[in-house]
Amino acid sequence: MAPVGPGPGPLLDADELYRFYRNGEEEVLALRGVSLSVAAGEVVAVVGPSGSGKSTLLGCLAGLDEPAGGTVRILGQRMNARTEAERAALRARHVGILFQSENLFTHLTVAQNVALVQRLAGKQSNGPGEVLESVGLSTRARAYPSQLSGGETSRAGLAVALANEPELLLADEPTGELDSEAGLRLVQLLRRQADSGCGILIVTHSPDAVAAADRVVFLADGRVQEPPRKEAS
Ligand code: ADP
Ligand code: MG
């Protein structure tokens, strides 16, 4: 087993990730040697056409999926090629996940949703108040998910993702279903989170999200596309 405890290097470091799917006779090469890193305080936007491997990449980075080859390290700790329980423990301590589909339990209030995730991680926490305040939902703490607007729902999802103060936040098209105003507000919250030290990787089609990013990674056909270089003279 890899040593535990923070090691040197970036917050997130993915090296040469491969992931194949087999549908009967057909093999889909979803990731063909993807390497990338995210530093603390940095927003990295991943863009690319549908089917280019963006969601597959996020799944591998989050330890929800197992790459066929390559290495994912979070705070120097290897995330892949470990037991499910070890991956879940690493994820609960260090990674927040924000997907497009909501991650809220419908029978719990917004505050109860955040409190539940905090209890499950077993980390020291100050309760849901602080994180709800940070996403502008203090007044909606006792609302149920069905009572929230689209923008509020996305911010409640963000509150759940940030419940345990993760060092790394992974987001898959989080503004995809939002109107532009609510989308911009979410992007601004993500930017602010990064400015206070969180590393953020966001899969997105949103120009606002790309504009707020420090770096953009282009994915096509399961590979990172190098930015166009100046012609050598
Ligand atoms: P994106 O998020 O960029 O749209 P995905 O990561 O979802 O791309 O998919 C990348 C490729 O892998 C696509 O060709 C997709 O059809 C294929 N794929 C994704 N998930 C599966 C799966 N569970 N089984 C088979 N093929 C899959
Ligand atoms: Mg996708």
Side-chain angles (χ1 to χ4, degrees), residues 15 22 35 39 52 55 104 121 144 207 232:
D15 190 39
R22 192 159 284 127
S35 301
S52 57
S55 293
L104 304 168
Y144 286 88

Side-chain angles (χ1 to χ4, degrees), residues 21-52:
Y21 296 109
R22 192 159 284 127
N23 295 325
E25 292 289 287
E26 195 198 359
E27 192 167 48
V28 178
L29 309 174
L31 298 179
R32 316 180 191 209
V34 172
S35 301
L36 58 78
S37 63
V38 177
E42 187 179 39
V43 177
V44 176
V46 175
V47 302
S50 177
S52 57

Side-chain angles (χ1 to χ4, degrees), residues 86-170:
E86 288 174 328
R87 294 201 307 258
L90 255 177
R91 191 163 57 239
R93 297 192 78 79
H94 301 299
V95 187
I97 299 179
L98 182 61
F99 289 157
Q100 192 172 4
S101 53
E102 55 185 86
N103 52 350
L104 304 168
F105 290 105
T106 53
H107 62 291
L108 298 178
T109 66
V110 171
Q112 287 168 339
N113 266 282
V114 173
L116 175 65
V117 174
Q118 289 176 331
R119 269 205 306 282
L120 290 177
K123 245 184 175 180
Q124 191 74 28
S125 98
N126 300 326
E130 221 167 276
V131 65
L132 288 178
E133 161 122 51
S134 75
V135 301
L137 279 183
S138 297
T139 60
R140 306 296 277 142
R142 297 164 82 158
Y144 286 88
S146 63
Q147 300 171 313
L148 303 176
S149 70
E152 287 172 340
T153 302
S154 75
R155 285 183 281 127
L158 179 60
V160 167
L162 297 177
N164 295 309
E165 300 178 50
E167 289 92 342
L168 176 69
L169 182 72
L170 302 172

Side-chain angles (χ1 to χ4, degrees), residues 54-55 172-173:
K54 304 182 300 294
S55 293
D172 196 353
E173 303 195 33

